[in-house]
Amino acid sequence: MAIRAFYSDHFVLPLPEGHKFPMAKYSRLRERILAEGLVSPDHLHEAPLAAIEDLRLVHDTGYVDAVLTGTVAPEIQRRIGFPWSPQMVERSRRSVGATIAAAHAALDEGVAANLAGGTHHAFADRGEGFCVFNDVAVAARMLQRDELSRRIAIIDLDVHQGNGTAAIFNGDASVFTFSMHGDKNFPFKKEASDLDVPLADGTGDDEYLSLLQLHLTAVLNRHQPDFVFYLAGADPFEGDRLGRIKMTIDGLRRRDEIVMEACTRARLPIAISMSGGYANDVDAIVTIHTNTIRVAGAPVSI
């Protein structure tokens, strides 16, 4: 099955000199999934701009306005890591729009993907860690506002804790936040998710996958969601510059199979965001993300 996917990679951000964020992974992922037939050309769509009123479902009006007008405080710009530019605004809004569009498509087709996204370090009143707006949080609130979903689970398997997401949904019983992340990795001040599974440096495939199977089953049984957002980070990879976890490419593919099988078994629509990936070998990042799309299009029994 060729799944539906949404992209925003052609809005190039001006980056500071020496910046090593692997922006090329996004366009190369789009090229790879087309070349391998995992997404057909008529199922690949440019992401729409997220509406300002949708952003304000999650983010403070003052922060949204500051981003749109280029008046973000210097301290917050430093925390985001990207300098303000019109391209940054355009890309950030389209990244959120892609996850909103993927959520709508998943309701109709079972699964869909944002080929970027996973901007889980963005808080209601600020961005940080390369994240301007929180795409999954906005999409979740949009589903609830429009009465398309009541109970949502966010499965965050980026190597860094989704601190912004955890803070946004703190105390909200309708959204369950589940994060498996490096215990000693960024962010160094963690927020409280509904379920945090901290991982020691050097955690490998067997331990990671065992913990995931144990906790994912418990999350779905306990929360009984009717929709799932999945942040499929490539940064638990053993070759990642920032990850400190020792997952192999095959192990990460098996991770995706576990998530997809659990959601398929529970008949849950699932919207996927690619989230982080910072290996020097950009081809490895693209392979990991491509495998996520491959698995999403053809879930397998475990």
Side-chain angles (χ1 to χ4, degrees):
M1 177 181 71
I3 74 170
R4 198 169 298 278
F6 300 85
Y7 68 92
S8 55
D9 60 77
H10 63 288
F11 296 94
V12 179
L13 301 184
L15 301 177
E17 185 176 352
H19 202 286
K20 294 185 177 180
F21 192 93
M23 302 299 290
K25 75 172 187 174
Y26 299 113
S27 58
R28 287 174 59 175
L29 172 62
R30 179 158 56 96
E31 293 164 2
R32 178 87 66 87
I33 62 175
L34 283 172
E36 295 192 17
L38 302 176
V39 175
S40 61
D42 61 337
H43 277 60
L44 183 64
H45 310 280
E46 179 182 351
L49 280 169
I52 294 172
E53 58 267 28
D54 288 345
L55 298 175
R56 289 174 175 161
L57 291 171
V58 166
H59 294 287
D60 293 354
T61 294
Y63 175 61
V64 173
D65 291 347
V67 172
L68 297 178
T69 60
T71 56
V72 178
E75 169 59 22
I76 293 179
Q77 286 196 50
R78 285 192 294 271
R79 295 178 75 158
I80 291 171
F82 296 137
W84 186 91
S85 66
Q87 297 98 313
M88 182 266 270
V89 178
E90 179 93 357
R91 185 161 183 155
S92 298
R93 287 182 65 186
R94 289 188 186 273
S95 184
V96 176
T99 297
I100 291 173
H104 280 295
L107 287 170
D108 292 334
E109 301 171 17
V111 60
N114 177 356
L115 299 182
T119 48
H120 59 171
H121 298 310
F123 288 73
D125 62 348
R126 68 184 188 275
E128 66 177 48
F130 308 132
C131 303
V132 179
F133 299 125
N134 193 310
D135 63 308
V136 166
V138 173
R141 288 299 190 217
M142 176 277 303
L143 289 178
Q144 292 180 325
R145 178 200 64 196
D146 295 346
E147 299 183 347
L148 299 171
S149 173
R150 293 179 59 251
R151 298 179 63 79
I152 292 167
I154 298 173
I155 301 168
D156 190 338
L157 301 185
D158 187 278
V159 82
H160 305 108
Q161 194 217 31
N163 55 338
T165 307
I168 287 166
F169 294 114
N170 183 37
D172 183 345
S174 72
V175 179
F176 193 98
T177 53
F178 167 41
S179 177
M180 286 181 61
H181 53 262
D183 185 30
K184 296 180 179 178
N185 210 323
F186 178 88
F188 301 109
K189 179 184 180 298
K190 306 291 194 290
E191 301 290 333
S193 307
D194 290 301
L195 176 60
D196 285 305
V197 181
L199 304 170
D201 288 359
T203 297
D205 289 354
D206 291 345
E207 181 180 2
Y208 186 105
L209 297 172
S210 177
L211 286 168
L212 174 60
Q213 286 186 302
L214 173 67
H215 291 295
L216 180 59
T217 299
V219 167
L220 297 183
N221 289 341
R222 171 180 163 190
H223 185 62
Q224 293 289 303
D226 53 38
F227 195 95
V228 168
F229 289 96
Y230 173 35
L231 282 70
D235 44 8
F237 174 51
E238 60 189 349
D240 197 88
R241 291 184 292 110
L242 305 180
R244 299 163 65 169
I245 301 299
K246 298 299 181 184
M247 294 282 286
T248 65
I249 289 177
D250 184 62
L252 289 164
R253 178 187 55 78
R254 287 190 283 139
R255 173 202 67 176
D256 296 335
E257 290 172 352
I258 288 169
V259 174
M260 290 305 305
E261 175 69 13
C263 291
T264 300
R265 189 165 52 238
R267 301 182 182 275
L268 291 170
I270 180 168
I272 305 169
S273 293
M274 296 297 101
S275 207
Y278 311 96
N280 288 323
D281 182 357
V282 177
D283 187 65
I285 307 174
V286 173
T287 296
I288 293 164
H289 287 322
T290 299
N291 283 342
T292 299
I293 301 300
R294 190 189 323 278
V295 169
V300 298
S301 297
I302 307 169

